[in-house]
Amino acid sequence: MTKLFKLRVNTPAGVFFEDDIIQIELRTPTGVIGILAEHQPVVGSIVPSLCWIKDAKGNRVSALVNTGIFKTDGKLINVITDFFYFTNKLNDSIFEVRKQKIADAIKAAEDTANAKLYEGVQRKLEKELEELNKLTKK
């Protein structure tokens, strides 16, 4: 029997997704890592990309994920990111909401701190959003 382990996706809003899976493939700055149950403990960073998940039934599904980190102990993998959506549920309105959240965060930061500091952050966030959007158009 195939061994399962738990996937938990955490976003700023809380736990976005949690379920048993067979495997997950994540893109890191140095390449793709595949993680199965009982994997050696590892912590790493992820880049904006498609990740692939083999669910408990053996179905392979994809999700769009932004930058973040992951940690596994072989029984549970935690993915921490601010953007994670299954590609079969993506639509243009999700990107519009994301764009507005970025604009709101930048505006709030400008009101309370040095605007020059946040111009670079804004450019970085907008670039990440463009990269995520491109991944869905392929």
Side-chain angles (χ1 to χ4, degrees):
M1 180 174 177
T2 305
K3 293 183 180 184
L4 301 176
F5 68 117
K6 179 107 26 220
L7 166 63
R8 182 180 302 140
V9 177
N10 300 280
T11 68
V15 176
F16 178 81
F17 177 80
E18 186 170 340
D19 205 355
D20 290 332
I21 64 169
I22 296 170
Q23 179 181 8
I24 186 168
E25 296 172 24
L26 297 165
R27 182 165 299 282
T28 72
T30 58
V32 175
I33 184 170
I35 298 175
L36 298 164
E38 300 180 4
H39 193 285
Q40 290 293 323
V42 65
V43 175
S45 62
I46 50 178
V47 297
S49 59
L50 286 175
C51 73
W52 293 94
I53 300 163
K54 189 180 280 189
D55 68 18
K57 296 178 183 175
N59 300 314
R60 193 168 188 246
V61 297
S62 62
L64 193 59
V65 63
N66 198 16
T67 55
I69 60 171
F70 69 92
K71 176 184 176 184
T72 187
D73 62 4
K75 297 176 187 170
L76 166 73
I77 181 164
N78 271 304
V79 174
I80 303 167
T81 183
D82 66 343
F83 188 88
F84 185 99
Y85 283 95
F86 290 99
T87 55
N88 63 346
K89 296 182 180 183
L90 277 174
N91 58 47
D92 288 338
S93 67
I94 289 171
F95 287 102
E96 288 305 313
V97 168
R98 174 78 173 153
K99 190 174 184 178
Q100 187 58 50
K101 284 183 179 180
I102 290 170
D104 293 346
I106 296 301
K107 178 67 175 135
E110 286 177 345
D111 291 344
T112 60
N114 183 342
K116 290 282 185 193
L117 175 66
Y118 289 94
E119 287 176 6
V121 173
Q122 181 178 10
R123 283 192 298 274
K124 180 179 183 290
L125 291 171
E126 287 173 350
K127 183 179 179 195
E128 287 177 356
L129 183 62
E130 286 176 26
E131 288 177 26
L132 292 170
N133 203 356
K134 285 178 194 175
L135 285 168
T136 63
K137 303 298 184 204
K138 288 184 178 178

